[in-house]
Amino acid sequence: MKDSITVTITGAAGQIGYALLFRIASGGLFGPDQPVHLNLVEIEPAMKALEGTVMELNDCAFPLLSGITATSDLDVGFQNSNWALLVGSVPRKAGMERKDLLGINGKIFTLQGEALAANAADDVRVLVVGNPCNTNCLITMNNAPGIPSERFFAMTRLDENRAKSQLAAKAGVHVSAISNLCIWGNHSATQYPDYTNALVDKNRVVDVIDDEEWLRGEFISTVQQRGAAIINARGASSAASAANAAIDTVRSLCNATPEGDWTSVAVCSEGQYGIDKGLIASMPVRCESDGVWSVVEGVDIDDFSKSKIEESVSELREEREAVSDLIPS
Ligand code: NAX
């Protein structure tokens, strides 16, 4: 048996947590021969609910689950963490401005960054899911001295999966036929699902779907507004698809990307594609099997795409400005 991997999940008693933990514990994340230890982090009022989830995890008798630590203490929760999935955050409530939300969550992610730096394993990698995930990731990264910036990611894979599903339905093909779909920018309503570079069975989407008006209009807005549409229909925000996307993201970051393709994840910009250095922005990324990744260079950006990317990056700049007091210089 291999040594256990320790995975920290914050917000573990929440609805994404509930859809995520059992898949990780059953081997759905790291494979059928990799034991995992789960560090489950919650706030004090949710510890009772977390206790119930832990009972259920135990009742599954998962062969690969080597242990569970349930805690509200960040130093304990990030102890020896190899992967930290930061899912928990405070939702926007009625009357709350976006700036208030950024500030409240910012403080949470400041503390989590510090606890990661103090307690996590040397090889820790961090995926932020809790919204606003790009800026929460920016805050965590800037408050975790000693952890290299290339170990921080924010999730835009759910958006990529949503976009692929929309294109597949329109083209009348299976979703696996869609590749090279990049989400650019922020995980928000300004994100840009780039259909101009996407392929259907190696053919350009624009050559297969002869409806540029739909691609520029309804397609983009459907992907941007999909979270709200799910809340409308389900009465609760996306959970299983979000947990699935978190698993897809980590698996993509641990395995070689298929030849010629890429995946979407928000990473710390080095200035690629004119995106300000230091912002956590979604871009096309390729990974090697040893976990080394790089932003794909040279992707064609036409004027339409350029203006869409700029709109989303401009929002990321504003968010960074709103939390500048939480980013040590
Ligand atoms: P829930 O409200 O069901 O669960 C959140 C959990 O986080 C709660 O149990 C709460 O007690 C816990 N929590 C709050 N503050 C915490 C803290 N300081 N430390 C540890 N735990 C804390 O939300 P859920 O539906 O699970 O969504 C979680 C987050 O994912 C939300 O911010 C949501 O907006 C975000 N999402 C991000 C997506 C993405 O693509 N990046 C898509 C899905 C989802 O909307």
Side-chain angles (χ1 to χ4, degrees):
M1 256 315 191
K2 295 179 179 172
D3 290 341
S4 244
I5 288 181
T6 298
V7 186
T8 297
I9 298 118
T10 70
Q15 53 154 3
I16 294 177
Y18 196 72
L20 184 60
L21 303 183
F22 297 84
R23 289 186 64 187
I24 298 176
S26 65
L29 184 52
F30 295 112
D33 61 347
Q34 177 59 64
V36 286
H37 182 105
L38 295 179
N39 282 357
L40 308 181
V41 181
E42 260 297 350
I43 48 173
E44 203 50 56
M47 286 306 287
K48 177 89 180 150
L50 183 58
E51 203 182 301
T53 306
V54 170
M55 287 160 75
E56 284 201 80
L57 280 166
N58 286 328
D59 291 351
C60 290
F62 286 121
L64 290 171
L65 185 55
S66 59
I68 304 172
T69 305
T71 182
S72 59
D73 180 334
L74 293 182
D75 288 327
V76 176
F78 289 112
Q79 192 69 49
N80 299 328
S81 190
N82 304 107
W83 266 101
L85 310 182
L86 308 186
V87 179
S89 69
V90 174
R92 193 164 172 172
K93 298 189 183 96
M96 205 188 259
E97 298 288 328
R98 190 173 172 83
K99 198 170 187 305
D100 301 331
L101 184 72
L102 282 164
I104 291 167
N105 279 306
K107 292 194 185 68
I108 293 173
F109 288 85
T110 304
L111 295 175
Q112 292 184 356
E114 289 166 3
L116 274 161
N119 300 286
D122 288 345
D123 65 351
V124 68
R125 282 180 276 177
V126 182
L127 173 66
V128 181
V129 175
N131 281 322
C133 65
N134 298 56
T135 296
N136 288 341
C137 183
L138 178 84
I139 294 166
T140 312
M141 179 182 80
N142 280 286
N143 286 280
I147 306 180
S149 58
E150 66 265 21
R151 307 269 197 81
F152 291 86
F153 309 92
M155 188 168 94
T156 52
R157 180 60 170 268
L158 178 55
D159 308 301
E160 176 187 325
N161 289 347
R162 287 166 169 171
K164 283 179 166 172
S165 152
Q166 293 298 320
L167 290 177
K170 183 77 173 176
V173 297
H174 189 263
V175 70
S176 57
I178 313 289
S179 67
N180 299 75
L181 191 294
C182 177
I183 302 293
W184 293 90
N186 201 1
H187 167 70
S188 77
T190 67
Q191 65 174 275
Y192 173 51
D194 179 5
Y195 64 88
T196 68
N197 289 290
L199 303 178
V200 184
D201 282 326
K202 311 285 176 211
N203 302 303
R204 297 174 66 213
V205 157
V206 288
D207 294 334
V208 177
I209 300 175
D210 185 20
D211 189 349
E212 186 98 12
E213 196 185 324
W214 180 84
L215 287 165
R216 285 190 171 202
E218 198 180 326
F219 163 67
I220 294 177
S221 61
T222 299
V223 177
Q224 290 174 334
Q225 302 298 333
R226 187 69 165 179
I230 286 171
I231 293 175
N232 261 341
R234 209 172 85 85
S237 57
S238 17
S241 56
N244 179 67
I247 286 177
D248 281 351
T249 307
V250 174
R251 288 176 61 150
S252 287
L253 290 168
C254 294
N255 293 288
T257 310
E259 196 53 42
D261 202 358
W262 56 63
T263 189
S264 306
V265 61
V267 294
C268 182
S269 171
E270 290 291 329
Q272 296 98 332
Y273 297 99
I275 298 171
D276 316 30
K277 200 170 186 303
L279 285 180
I280 301 287
S282 187
M283 290 188 260
V285 162
R286 282 189 57 80
C287 311
E288 310 299 331
S289 56
D290 57 3
V292 174
W293 61 266
S294 55
V295 171
V296 179
E297 308 269 3
V299 174
D300 284 340
I301 308 292
D302 64 13
D303 287 346
F304 178 77
S305 300
K306 201 170 170 185
S307 71
K308 290 286 178 192
I309 295 170
E310 176 50 30
E311 192 186 332
S312 198
V313 169
S314 150
E315 184 183 50
L316 285 173
R317 257 181 234 129
E318 284 165 22
E319 289 187 12
R320 177 166 66 180
E321 191 51 40
V323 298
S324 56
D325 55 325
L326 300 174
I327 299 177
S329 47

